[in-house]
Amino acid sequence: MKAILLGPPGGGKGTQAKKLVKKYGIPQISTGEIFRNAVKAGTEMGLKAKQYMDRGDLVPDDVVVGIVEERLREDDCREGFLLDGFPRTIPQADALAVMLEKTGRKIDHVISLEVEREELIKRLSGRRVCRNCGEEFHVMFKRPKVDMVCDLCGGEVYQRKDDNEESVKNRLVEYEKQTAPLIDYYAGRSLLRSVQGVGGFDEVFERILKSLGE
Ligand code: AP5
Ligand code: MG
Ligand code: ZN
């Protein structure tokens, strides 16, 4: 399966991607995670991306496209892949179609998670993450047993730099302006599978499977 998970910031792309890649045995390609790892490692690309990410702006298309093209050439992507958070602009979507064509491939499904704004703000502003193992917590729904300490590994629990109120608002603006047009773009290509992203994690997952005809 070659699929895209489309959705607003906080829509549940990462959460559902983890379940999908487990079921289908394909790699999850999250451009956000690639950038966060690069920031952590202090690479040149990471330093460049960080300026945009912290504000909640999109990283320039040429940088993102180059990274994805390289990643999709790796062996583990031959049988399929799940793109999480890419493409995010029309030029990125066009570039993706071109790079896949070169190797005789094309996208099968675009899963679009729909969640309204109030819910997104609540999810993102309360999210906390373990710096060490990546486990996620939430100040309202899932507090760590000991404040700021990960239940699983004892690592430090922190707030993503772009989960502060101002950056979250900007991410939502950028999403409406640059990413939401992809819904019509993929609907026009008969690839869009719209899914309500509210409810339990498993409930949303079941809806996704149904939309894929499973
Ligand atoms: P990225 O890392 O992709 O972040 P994002 O899209 O802003 O959104 P999140 O990862 O925060 O949300 P998500 O949809 O994955 O939801 P999650 O499952 O985590 O990108 C970060 C930045 O990198 C961008 O702003 C940009 O700067 C740059 N970037 C990345 N890709 C780019 C690209 N292609 N082009 C240009 N720039 C790019 O869930 C969120 C929270 O909600 C969690 O706490 C979760 O537990 C909770 N939750 C999930 N599902 C539910 C549910 N059903 N009910 C209740 N809570 C739920
Ligand atoms: Mg994510
Ligand atoms: Zn941890």
Side-chain angles (χ1 to χ4, degrees):
M1 184 172 69
K2 295 177 273 305
I4 294 169
L5 252 179
L6 190 67
K13 299 184 295 294
T15 304
Q16 297 300 328
K18 299 251 148 45
K19 290 173 165 292
L20 283 162
V21 298
K22 204 163 144 197
K23 178 171 169 74
Y24 291 99
I26 50 175
Q28 171 191 0
I29 302 174
S30 159
T31 39
E33 246 162 59
I34 292 173
F35 287 135
R36 277 187 292 281
N37 288 336
V39 170
K40 212 162 140 189
T43 66
E44 201 181 313
M45 186 257 282
L47 289 176
K48 191 168 172 193
K50 189 177 178 338
Q51 309 161 26
Y52 298 96
M53 294 171 77
D54 286 354
R55 286 197 301 265
D57 286 336
L58 293 184
V59 175
D61 287 338
D62 56 332
V63 179
V64 191
V65 167
I67 286 166
V68 173
E69 180 150 30
E70 208 172 285
R71 181 66 187 87
L72 286 177
R73 267 196 231 115
E74 287 175 37
D75 275 353
D76 63 339
C77 294
R78 221 175 275 163
E79 300 298 314
F81 50 79
L82 181 65
L83 290 165
D84 159 7
F86 179 93
R88 244 171 159 103
T89 65
I90 302 266
Q92 288 181 21
D94 287 337
L96 174 66
V98 170
M99 69 176 90
L100 289 177
E101 231 167 69
K102 282 186 207 160
T103 46
R105 296 183 287 182
K106 59 180 175 45
I107 295 294
D108 309 309
H109 304 284
V110 177
I111 303 153
S112 168
L113 290 172
E114 292 170 1
V115 179
E116 55 178 62
R117 186 187 160 87
E118 301 303 301
E119 170 75 12
L120 297 172
I121 294 176
K122 199 163 73 188
R123 286 185 189 179
L124 293 176
S125 54
R127 170 168 60 186
R128 300 291 182 269
V129 189
C130 171
R131 213 181 271 286
N132 181 45
C133 74
E135 178 71 5
E136 292 205 351
F137 299 91
H138 195 283
V139 294
M140 278 151 82
F141 316 123
K142 191 183 166 195
R143 303 180 72 100
K145 289 196 189 89
V146 179
D147 206 28
M148 314 284 285
V149 178
C150 176
D151 292 354
L152 299 187
C153 76
E156 182 205 355
V157 171
Y158 81 113
Q159 180 176 36
R160 243 170 73 171
K161 256 252 170 72
D162 60 347
D163 278 348
N164 69 74
E165 202 182 320
E166 212 175 306
S167 299
V168 166
K169 287 211 173 111
N170 191 39
R171 282 157 71 194
L172 293 171
V173 169
E174 289 301 304
Y175 171 78
E176 285 305 329
K177 220 165 42 190
Q178 308 215 54
T179 311
L182 289 177
I183 295 174
D184 282 343
Y185 177 100
Y186 285 118
R189 287 160 178 76
S190 303
L191 293 173
L192 196 76
R193 322 286 175 243
S194 292
V195 174
Q196 271 298 323
V198 190
F201 291 5
D202 291 334
E203 210 178 319
V204 175
F205 186 58
E206 286 306 318
R207 279 187 216 129
I208 292 177
L209 295 183
K210 211 165 146 195
S211 80
L212 298 176
E214 295 270 340

